[in-house]
């Protein structure tokens, strides 16, 4: 049994987590997977032994004050290879991707709910104070539907207009408070008219939920 490296969390907010790791000689972190991009800043010189997936092993040298970065997804057990010298480093994780991941999940949930004509499911993606700007309408913004009741009615009207409706080829991006969803819409109206166009939504988020769905569609002529 190796001794455990000791973590001390210095900063843990919605953007960064900074953890100081102190290793006695021969101590290990234990197996872990990095859920975020991160930077290691060695506080001492040292040499690491790394247990990697599938029984692989590696060595790495730490130089005090010389940082390195890694991407999310690294999986390993980190061991102080020295039997005499302690070592320490700061781990700086960028954790604001957690918010972006949750917002991306909301966008996927919304598209799935549209495809299953699930109005309740759609509304669970929308914030308490929400709006929907349709791709067509009298206003500069397209038809404006403000408030949960109005948004719900507008979503129901989409399903009433289109007896068949499928959103596919969805590509979602989140940048800060804004989400962009690019998709292809294929629908058939009650009158038998078929629509097949690319479009996009620009979303504004309130927390993990959608405060504004601002829709755009190609006009085929
Ligand atoms: Ni690690």
């Amino acid at each position: 049994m190796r001794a455990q490296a000791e973590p001390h969390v210095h900063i843990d907010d919605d953007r960064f987590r900074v953890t100081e790791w102190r290793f006695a000689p021969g101590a290990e972190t234990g197996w872990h997977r990095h859920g975020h991009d991160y930077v290691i800043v060695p506080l001492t010189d040292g040499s690491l032994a790394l247990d990697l997936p599938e029984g692989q092993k590696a060595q790495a040298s730490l130089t005090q004050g010389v940082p390195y970065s890694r991407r999310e997804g690294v999986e390993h057990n980190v061991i102080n290879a020295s039997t005499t010298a302690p070592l320490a480093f700061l781990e700086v994780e960028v954790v604001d991707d957690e918010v972006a991941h949750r917002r991306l999940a909301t966008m996927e949930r919304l598209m799935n709910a549209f495809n299953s004509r699930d109005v309740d499911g759609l509304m669970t993606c929308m914030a308490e104070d929400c709006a929907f700007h349709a791709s067509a309408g009298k206003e500069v913004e397209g038809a404006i539907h403000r408030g949960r009741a109005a948004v719900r009615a507008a979503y129901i009207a989409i399903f009433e207009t289109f007896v068949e409706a499928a959103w596919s080829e969805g590509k979602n991006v989140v940048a800060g408070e804004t989400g962009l969803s690019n998709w292809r819409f294929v629908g058939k109206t009650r009158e038998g008219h078929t629509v097949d166009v690319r479009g996009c939504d620009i979303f504004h988020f309130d927390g993990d939920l959608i405060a504004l769905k601002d829709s755009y569609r190609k006009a085929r002529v």
Side-chain angles (χ1 to χ4, degrees):
M1 279 289 285
R2 296 190 183 100
Q4 291 294 301
E6 286 173 18
H8 174 63
V9 177
H10 288 272
I11 296 171
D12 190 5
D13 60 28
D14 57 356
R15 189 137 165 72
F16 300 110
R17 184 161 51 230
V18 179
T19 309
E20 180 180 335
W21 287 92
R22 294 217 159 257
F23 295 70
E28 66 177 358
T29 57
W31 274 96
H32 58 275
R33 181 186 179 281
H34 285 266
H36 308 282
D37 297 348
Y38 64 100
V39 171
I40 296 293
V41 184
L43 300 174
T44 62
D45 291 346
S47 70
L48 298 178
L50 301 160
D51 290 340
L52 303 172
E54 294 168 19
Q56 307 245 60
K57 292 189 181 296
Q59 295 273 340
S61 290
L62 297 184
T63 304
Q64 185 180 15
V66 179
Y68 58 91
S69 64
R70 295 287 182 268
R71 295 297 171 188
E72 170 193 353
V74 171
E75 228 178 317
H76 55 199
N77 178 25
V78 176
I79 304 145
N80 180 0
S82 170
T83 53
T84 53
L87 75 81
F89 55 73
L90 282 179
E91 175 191 36
V92 181
E93 296 174 281
V94 182
V95 296
D96 65 347
D97 52 357
E98 276 174 20
V99 178
H101 282 161
R102 289 202 301 269
R103 288 174 175 168
L104 285 169
T106 299
M107 290 161 76
E108 275 169 34
R109 224 153 38 78
L110 186 85
M111 183 176 275
N112 291 339
F114 267 112
N115 280 320
S116 48
R117 306 174 83 85
D118 173 5
V119 178
D120 289 337
L122 289 174
M123 294 313 294
T124 65
C125 301
M126 305 303 293
E128 203 45 48
D129 185 11
C130 64
F132 167 41
H133 295 175
S135 53
K138 288 195 171 70
E139 291 92 344
V140 173
E141 296 83 0
I144 295 174
H145 307 280
R146 194 169 291 132
R148 288 186 72 83
V151 169
R152 186 184 180 90
Y155 288 165
I156 289 170
I158 293 172
F159 297 132
E160 281 170 357
T161 303
F162 292 97
V163 291
E164 290 170 26
W167 289 260
S168 63
E169 300 170 32
K171 288 201 185 75
N172 300 329
V173 179
V174 169
E177 307 287 304
T178 304
L180 178 67
S181 178
N182 182 308
W183 33 258
R184 181 173 178 174
F185 173 69
V186 180
K188 198 164 109 190
T189 65
R190 216 163 271 293
E191 297 76 35
H193 179 60
T194 296
V195 175
D196 182 0
V197 289
R198 282 208 156 274
C200 68
D201 285 301
I202 300 172
F203 294 109
H204 289 259
F205 284 94
D206 177 4
D208 299 345
L209 298 177
I210 296 163
L212 172 64
K213 169 176 151 69
D214 189 12
S215 294
Y216 298 81
R217 264 179 19 191
K218 300 286 188 190
R220 294 183 69 174
V221 293

